[in-house]
Amino acid sequence: MVAGKDLPEAGVSGEVHQDRFVGGQDLTRWDTKPGQLLASTVQRVSRLLGSHAALILTLAVGAVLAVALAAVFAEVYESVVQADGVAGLDHPILDGAKTLRSPALDTVITGYTDVGGTVGMPVLALAVMMGLALKRRSLTPVILMLVAGLGSLLMTIAGKELVGRTRPDLADAVPPYEYSASFPSGHSLNSVVIAGIVAYLIILRLKSARARVLTGAAAGIFAATMGLSRVYLGHHWLTDVLGAWALGAAWLALVITAHRLYLTTRVHPA
């Protein structure tokens, strides 16, 4: 047996042969006319600039769209809050969360929510990003993780600046207190994006359907519990979390689409 014969492929070869199919679905196949047009456009850019440059450019355009989406969503959100639509759930849900509190549980959930904070989440994302990049000998995980995180941060800043919603009263919150604008919940948005992109990158290399489902479920549970922890602690209203989940899912979809386009340029160069 030749040494290293059974080792998984890495670099561009690994991306082309191992990241292309998920559950039998070819990620480089575009069945709709808009998808085909988008793919052909990115293929032409790739021919001029290279596949990684095309990926970065596509993600940059996506980041602009994400910020615009955050601005539009902020307007819709503000209208809903003023009309007391789904926002009518905010106070009852917070009151219900307060009945569940205890000193021990407060400590546990505060520690957990710190994982999704401005220190915990970047450290976690950096560790996973470097691990995947070294294992695969590829810059793609680095590009996807960095741009996904940057887009998430820009959407959070845009939403907070545009809406400027006040957080729940400090009397209803568990310390340490937070004072920035309430919408959207940065913890909730970032957990959807980072956990989602990590799960996606891992799923690309999993052969078992069961393993793929468990990985996706773990990411979903992490994002869901991170968002709900913010409501439990009284640091955000429920609608701040719901809006953040929606924005995060939209940005995650854009990042995954950009990666599919990158794979398309690798498998089917123009």
Side-chain angles (χ1 to χ4, degrees):
M1 181 180 295
V2 179
K5 181 178 179 181
D6 295 326
L7 292 177
E9 294 177 282
V12 173
S13 178
E15 291 176 344
V16 169
H17 294 105
Q18 297 185 64
D19 293 350
R20 177 179 175 182
F21 296 98
V22 176
Q25 181 177 350
D26 187 351
L27 297 182
T28 69
R29 178 178 176 179
W30 301 85
D31 296 323
T32 65
K33 290 293 184 183
Q36 292 167 3
L37 176 61
L38 184 60
S40 64
T41 300
V42 174
Q43 283 173 318
R44 287 194 291 270
V45 173
S46 174
R47 184 174 59 187
L48 295 173
L49 304 177
S51 294
H52 274 125
L55 173 61
I56 294 172
L57 181 60
T58 303
L59 287 168
V61 173
V64 173
L65 292 175
V67 174
L69 174 65
V72 172
F73 194 94
E75 292 295 327
V76 174
Y77 171 86
E78 196 167 19
S79 298
V80 171
V81 170
Q82 290 176 349
D84 203 30
V86 69
L89 296 173
D90 283 338
H91 288 282
I93 294 296
L94 177 58
D95 291 340
K98 288 163 60 179
T99 66
L100 302 175
R101 292 177 185 168
S102 69
L105 190 56
D106 291 354
T107 300
V108 171
I109 293 184
T110 296
Y112 178 67
T113 198
D114 285 344
V115 175
T118 55
V119 176
M121 188 60 75
V123 171
L124 179 64
L126 182 63
V128 174
M129 177 185 73
M130 295 308 297
L132 289 173
L134 291 172
K135 182 177 181 180
R136 301 184 183 191
R137 297 203 299 273
S138 169
L139 286 175
T140 303
V142 176
I143 294 171
L144 290 178
M145 292 285 286
L146 287 179
V147 178
L150 178 60
S152 177
L153 176 63
L154 291 175
M155 294 173 78
T156 301
I157 293 173
K160 289 182 181 296
E161 288 293 328
L162 289 166
V163 176
R165 191 185 192 193
T166 303
R167 291 177 185 261
D169 290 339
L170 295 184
D172 294 325
V174 175
Y177 303 118
E178 299 183 25
Y179 301 94
S180 62
S182 192
F183 176 85
S185 165
H187 285 67
S188 304
L189 204 163
N190 292 330
S191 63
V192 168
V193 173
I194 299 302
I197 199 64
V198 168
Y200 171 71
L201 288 169
I202 292 174
I203 285 171
L204 289 174
R205 299 292 173 101
L206 295 176
K207 304 303 180 185
S208 164
R210 181 172 180 270
R212 291 194 295 268
V213 170
L214 289 176
T215 301
I221 291 171
F222 175 76
T225 52
M226 185 59 65
L228 294 176
S229 74
R230 307 302 290 162
V231 178
Y232 171 88
L233 295 172
H235 294 170
H236 283 284
W237 303 104
L238 175 64
T239 45
D240 299 331
V241 172
L242 294 177
W245 282 342
L247 286 171
W251 175 228
L252 179 62
L254 282 172
V255 174
I256 290 175
T257 298
H259 183 248
R260 286 188 61 194
L261 291 166
Y262 164 75
L263 288 175
T264 302
T265 66
R266 287 296 194 188
V267 177
H268 309 290

